[in-house]
Each structure stands twice: as C-alpha cells, then as structure tokens.
Amino acid sequence: MGKKFPDFVPPTQIAYQDDGTTLHLRKCRLLSESDGEPTIDRTFDQSVITIGAMDDNDLVLGDDTVSRYHCRIVQEDNAYVVQDLASTNGTFINKVRIKEAYLKTGCTLTLGKTALRFTTIDETVRIRPSESEAFGDIIGTNVRMRELFGILEKIASTSTTVIIEGETGTGKEVVAHAIHKKSPRRNKPFIVFDCSAVPENLIESELFGHEKGSFTGAIMARQGLFEMANGGTIFLDELGELTVELQPKLLRVLETREVRRVGGTRSMKVDVRVIAATNRRLEEEVRAGRFREDLFYRLSVVRLFLPPLRERREDVPHLVRHFLRTGQFNRTEEGELRVDTISRDALDALMGYDWPGNIRELLNVVERACSFAEGDTIEVDALPGHILGTGHVQRLSTLKPQILAGGGGGDVSQLGTFKDAKEQWISAFERDYILRLLSQFDFNISHAAREADIDRKYFRKLMKKYAITVEGRDDD
C-alpha cells in the first residue's frame, strides 16, 4: 500500500514576523485501545519514533505478537509516515495492512494484538522576551537575545533537531551546549564534531565509525561519534562544509536513527539529538546545489539565528564582566582574580568597535588586556591598537604612551635602550597580528598561517610565545 491522503501537519518551526516571533511545536500521541491491557499513553516530539518489543525502541510493547523492531513513525515536512520494518505479523492502519503509509489523526494503528490510536498535537506559542538575562552560559540583555532565551526555554526539554545560524564567533557551540545541559539528556554525552577541521576522506569514519580492515590503516574497529553520543547530543559544527557525497549518509542517519560503520554490514540503532551550526546561508547553498534540499528540511526543524555582536553592543559590558569573573586566564595560582573590573573609557572603546570576530574576538581581547593590565583594572592603554583606531599609541609593558608618541612630556629614561623599546614594539605587533588573523579565520590556525604567508609551525611557535591558545581546535 502506497502513501496516500496525508493530513497536513505544520512542522515544528519558528516564524520570525513583524508582529513578533511564534514557535509552532509539532507532537503526536499514541493511546492504546486494547481492552484488559495496561494503558499506553505516550506523546512524542522527535522526528523518528521506533516501536517494537526490544527495550531500545522509543515505544516498547509487551506483546508477543509484536516483532522486535516492528515499525517506525517518521515526521516528514508536513505529515507523519508509518513504515513497517518487515515485521512478522504486519502493521495495519484501520485494519488495512501497509508497508508504508501516511497517518491521519484519529486513525488506528495495529501491531500484532496491540491497537494504538494516533493523534497529532499542535501547539503554537507566541515567544515573549525572557525576563532572564542568561540561559546557561549565554549572556544577553538585548531584546533579540532574550527572545532567543524564550525559544530555548521551550525547546530545550524536547528532542527537536536544531540548526543554529550566525556569523563566526557568535557563540553557536555555547548555545548548543546550553540546550544540552537544560535537556533530559544532560547526564549523557555531548559530542562536538567540526565538519571543517577533518579531512574529507576521514569524515565518514569519524561520524559513523569503521570496521577492522575496511580501509588502509584501519587496524582495529572504531566507534563513530554517533555511537559515542548515544543517549545524548551530537553537535555538528560548520555543517555547510560537509561534502555533497556525505550528505545522503547523514540524511539516512537522521531518518532511521541507525548507523552503519564503514566496511560494516550491520546497522546499529542510536538515540541521539542532533544540533547543527553553520555560518553560511543554507538556503543559498541549496539553490547553488552545494547542499541537499531534503537534508536542509530534515535539519531545519527549529532554526535559530544568533545576532552579531555589533547588533547587541549593550551586551558588551555584561560579557566583559562575565569573562573576567569566569576566565581561567584571570586567575592567580591561588585562584584569586587578577583583574577586577574595566574602566569606563576602555569599555566605551570596546562598545565602539564592530567586532568582526564577534564574541570569540571579544574574549581574546579581554584575555590579552588582562595580561597587559598593571593593576586590578583594565585601562584603555591595555587594549590592542586595532580596537582603538590607528591613531592610538598603545602602552607596552612599563612604557608610557605619551613618551612613545613623541611630542613632549615624560621621562625618556623609562623607554630603556633603543633595543629594549624596539623589541617591545615588535612583540606587541606580533601578538596583535596573530590574534587578529585568528579572529578573522574563525581561529583556524592553518588558514591564518596561509594568509600570513608563514610556516604553520612558526605560526604555532608565535602563539606559544605569546600564550595564545585556541581551545578545542586542532587543525593539524
């Protein structure tokens, strides 16, 4: 029996409109109709629901006429589809045996001796800006951020697939982690995979694992990240970098919630929430033929857009104080804060900058300023020159800006020897240059080294020299 007569079911999605933002939540309910049996009343929000006798199904039925993996219900763009999984006694809709068919709300789904009434539940919620100024580790007083918090408060407890869009450095991974920590999966793994940081020929093995001997160098079987994330969340960063050849394989995993290792013959079920992120406009990638349309719709259950920092400048003071309070770089060996606060002039300078590297760039600037600060306050002359403008002369170590700028005033002896002053200027230039390049290229060391036209090993040597670290990134 083919798929016929679908009920239109609006997908879970966010609508950004002039009169406000709304969130439509799509769920379905399965209610048992069998007399004398324990009542089944389950509501599901995920895109794939497996039903059968084995314990790893989403709905486990204690009916000896039900197969181990009997059938699954899949959300399509605007409908629910039930697929029989070669069960022994068949799957029926309103007493008609099917192999695959659309489900209409109110129909009866029969598996063995178990009858289940299927209904859809559709809830539309108008999103109000949250009263909170934080969601997990995300900080923001800007109305767009607080509206985002309102959305996150609604979807975090579900298993809904989420895609996060925004410029480089806007905090997409922080948002993904916050969603995970606020979900029922919080005690399960949170696995991060950067699609841009792994060679194309290794991505499939990284995601899905491989069997021994499946390719040259596969000396032993290895779990993939989807297996490692079982029960938890997998975060696919820079999804737009995934090759067209690998996109169908990811789509299959999303649809079936099963993975097959490279070189393997057996599929394994995985219970994983997928959160993806990209700094590309996926609609444009789809139109250009670089991203599959069906994968785009499968991932775009809920799409979140993170505003760039230049559009939420009022959050800069809160972010700076948060970094000073929580950053390990601002701690002494005894665990005390090295720098307590930031001056008004320095804060004004930070708020006047456009932040092409967004929050990641701000964090690195604050870390740098802490290392240059003499006392317990970040002053203007502890900030890098590109933040303040080309006309500003920056303080270096104990050097006084008015002396370095020339034009009178100050004790020239504070400059030290010509060699000392020159070395300090060069050091400041090198550190600022490395930080700016890293910010520009999403902290990808290889890309930054190529742009600088210097060897990557020497680039890393400079990073080590100035204690510049790129947490969680290794593009070797």
Side-chain angles (χ1 to χ4, degrees):
M1 179 177 178
K3 299 189 288 184
K4 296 180 180 179
F5 311 116
D7 278 350
F8 176 77
V9 182
T12 295
Q13 60 186 0
I14 299 170
Y16 297 93
Q17 301 167 334
D18 293 338
D19 60 347
T21 301
T22 59
L23 172 64
H24 180 89
L25 295 171
R26 177 170 67 168
K27 303 176 184 178
C28 71
R29 181 186 185 195
L30 293 172
L31 181 66
S32 61
E33 295 186 327
S34 302
D35 295 332
E37 295 293 329
T39 299
I40 298 170
D41 189 354
R42 294 283 304 278
T43 299
F44 299 93
D45 57 54
Q46 65 257 43
S47 57
V48 179
I49 307 159
T50 57
I51 308 174
M54 293 294 287
D55 289 342
D56 55 351
N57 284 286
D58 298 305
L59 178 58
V60 180
L61 300 178
D63 178 347
D64 58 10
T65 61
V66 170
S67 298
R68 293 183 300 168
Y69 300 106
H70 199 102
C71 68
R72 63 171 164 246
I73 297 173
V74 179
Q75 288 187 17
E76 291 199 343
D77 292 343
N78 59 3
Y80 284 92
V81 175
V82 60
Q83 301 167 342
D84 183 75
L85 300 178
S87 64
T88 302
N89 294 315
T91 301
F92 295 77
I93 296 180
N94 294 340
K95 299 183 179 181
V96 177
R97 185 166 184 167
I98 59 92
K99 181 177 181 181
E100 182 179 40
Y102 285 107
L103 288 166
K104 299 185 72 172
T105 189
C107 71
T108 298
L109 180 66
T110 305
L111 296 73
K113 298 176 182 177
T114 303
L116 300 168
R117 180 170 293 277
F118 171 86
T119 56
T120 58
I121 302 171
D122 302 303
E123 178 185 1
T124 300
V125 181
R126 180 169 290 276
I127 299 298
R128 307 288 183 189
S130 173
E131 295 182 1
S132 175
E133 296 181 353
F135 183 88
D137 293 328
I138 317 167
I139 307 295
T141 60
N142 175 272
V143 66
R144 289 177 62 185
M145 291 303 296
R146 290 190 293 110
E147 191 172 82
L148 175 68
F149 298 161
I151 295 170
L152 296 176
E153 288 164 1
K154 296 291 184 182
I155 68 170
S157 61
T158 73
S159 296
T160 299
T161 301
V162 179
I163 188 162
I164 307 167
E165 299 182 50
E167 294 180 7
T168 293
T170 48
K172 296 184 286 292
E173 183 174 340
V174 178
V175 172
H177 206 180
I179 293 172
H180 173 75
K181 289 195 291 187
K182 295 285 186 178
S183 77
R185 300 171 180 264
R186 66 180 65 88
N187 296 321
K188 298 295 184 178
F190 177 79
I191 303 294
V192 178
F193 179 73
D194 187 339
C195 299
S196 68
V198 178
E200 290 183 10
N201 61 321
L202 295 179
I203 290 179
E204 184 177 2
S205 172
E206 285 289 316
L207 286 175
F208 311 130
H210 63 253
E211 297 293 353
K212 180 179 179 181
S214 56
F215 55 84
T216 303
I219 59 175
M220 60 181 0
R222 182 177 182 274
Q223 277 190 324
L225 296 181
F226 270 91
E227 285 183 67
M228 294 168 62
N230 193 34
T233 303
I234 188 167
F235 174 58
L236 304 176
D237 198 9
E238 299 300 344
L239 183 74
E241 304 296 327
L242 197 65
T243 64
V244 175
E245 292 75 23
L246 280 173
Q247 289 173 22
K249 297 179 180 181
L250 176 59
L251 177 63
R252 180 181 177 277
V253 173
L254 294 174
E255 289 182 335
T256 64
R257 294 301 195 225
E258 295 178 348
V259 295
R260 180 179 296 173
R261 293 179 180 176
V262 176
T265 58
R266 181 175 62 90
S267 294
M268 291 168 281
K269 293 179 65 62
V270 289
D271 171 23
V272 175
R273 182 181 195 169
V274 176
I275 302 177
T278 180
N279 59 13
R280 298 189 181 189
R281 287 287 183 179
L282 287 186
E283 295 101 326
E284 296 175 7
E285 298 296 301
V286 170
R287 286 194 290 270
R290 293 188 292 267
F291 203 85
R292 288 177 63 107
E293 186 176 19
D294 48 5
L295 178 57
F296 170 69
Y297 285 117
R298 175 62 67 193
L299 287 164
S300 300
V301 178
V302 169
R303 297 173 68 191
L304 303 177
F305 297 89
L306 298 188
L309 189 53
R310 63 183 173 274
E311 294 180 6
R312 44 179 293 220
R313 295 177 194 267
E314 65 269 38
D315 287 338
V316 170
H318 302 281
L319 290 165
V320 170
R321 294 184 183 103
H322 174 73
F323 295 151
L324 291 177
R325 187 173 61 254
T326 61
Q328 193 59 40
F329 57 82
N330 192 34
R331 296 282 175 178
T332 65
E333 292 183 359
E334 294 75 27
E336 300 295 325
L337 291 180
R338 295 180 61 250
V339 175
D340 293 328
T341 187
I342 182 170
S343 72
R344 181 71 256 176
D345 288 345
L347 203 52
D348 288 343
L350 295 181
M351 293 182 70
Y353 181 62
D354 277 344
W355 300 107
N358 291 292
I359 298 173
R360 185 181 287 127
E361 183 182 6
L362 174 62
L363 173 59
N364 279 275
V365 166
V366 172
E367 180 176 355
R368 177 197 184 281
C370 285
S371 67
F372 275 82
E374 287 188 337
D376 61 1
T377 301
I378 294 175
E379 300 289 353
V380 170
D381 53 4
L383 301 178
H386 71 274
I387 299 291
L388 304 166
T390 56
H392 177 81
V393 181
Q394 176 190 347
R395 177 184 66 81
L396 297 172
S397 186
T398 61
L399 304 184
K400 301 300 182 182
Q402 66 270 25
I403 300 175
L404 292 174
D411 183 358
V412 178
S413 65
Q414 296 181 54
L415 285 168
T417 65
F418 172 79
K419 180 180 178 181
D420 291 340
K422 180 181 177 181
E423 286 180 352
Q424 291 182 76
W425 272 107
I426 291 174
S427 294
F429 161 74
E430 288 180 341
R431 194 176 197 281
D432 283 350
Y433 183 77
I434 296 298
L435 281 169
R436 292 191 71 180
L437 270 183
L438 288 170
S439 296
Q440 180 180 345
F441 290 97
D442 194 20
F443 293 83
N444 185 298
I445 297 169
S446 295
H447 292 179
R450 281 197 293 270
E451 178 69 14
D453 195 24
I454 59 178
D455 183 76
R456 184 172 58 183
K457 290 183 179 179
Y458 181 64
F459 196 93
R460 284 188 175 277
K461 184 178 179 180
L462 288 173
M463 289 176 62
K464 185 176 181 180
K465 176 181 178 181
Y466 299 112
I468 299 171
T469 58
V470 180
E471 185 177 352
R473 292 293 296 267
D474 186 358
D475 59 351
D476 283 341

